[in-house]
Amino acid sequence: MKAPYQLLRAARAALGIEHVMLAREAGVSKRTLVRIETLRNVSEESRGAVQAALEARGVQFLEPQDGSGPGIRVPDDLAPPAIRRHEPGKPKPKVGRPRSED
């Protein structure tokens, strides 16, 4: 499957890797990768190289089926842990300077 640019971008984000790292692995420039992710004119060879680099990391690009669009699957051990800024049920942390108590 030829993955659309949105899925290439989503796969990179799901892996938690920077443009520079993926570009190096794919053998393309960072600028080319940014162009791919923003639907600019790039060669099919470059697009294919980025998709192949993501697939080499374990990403699966899923064909559309049963009325849903295409998707990605990223193995749990490859995805970075989620950063949770606030635990539900706990008070939100106070941010900023403390107020002076007059």
Side-chain angles (χ1 to χ4, degrees):
M1 166 186 164
K2 177 180 154 185
Y5 77 97
Q6 300 97 324
L7 292 185
L8 296 174
R9 182 176 59 219
R12 182 188 57 75
L15 291 173
I17 59 176
E18 299 292 327
H19 286 99
V20 173
M21 183 180 291
L22 180 56
R24 186 178 316 124
E25 291 175 15
V28 299
S29 69
K30 177 186 171 196
R31 181 172 182 239
T32 296
L33 178 57
V34 170
R35 290 174 62 84
I36 289 169
E37 290 187 356
T38 56
L39 193 56
R40 300 280 200 280
N41 188 23
V42 295
S43 71
E44 287 300 314
E45 183 180 338
S46 293
R47 264 192 78 276
V50 170
Q51 183 171 341
L54 290 165
E55 289 170 339
R57 283 180 159 258
V59 173
Q60 296 174 351
F61 293 94
L62 309 173
E63 295 279 350
Q65 66 183 49
D66 301 327
S68 10
I72 60 170
R73 181 173 290 134
V74 179
D76 286 340
D77 59 332
L78 296 179
I83 298 172
R84 184 169 256 174
R85 298 183 189 275
H86 171 67
E87 292 292 324
K90 292 185 180 179
K92 291 184 179 181
K94 294 187 175 146
V95 180
R97 294 182 290 167
R99 293 183 181 179
S100 61
E101 309 251 344
D102 293 326

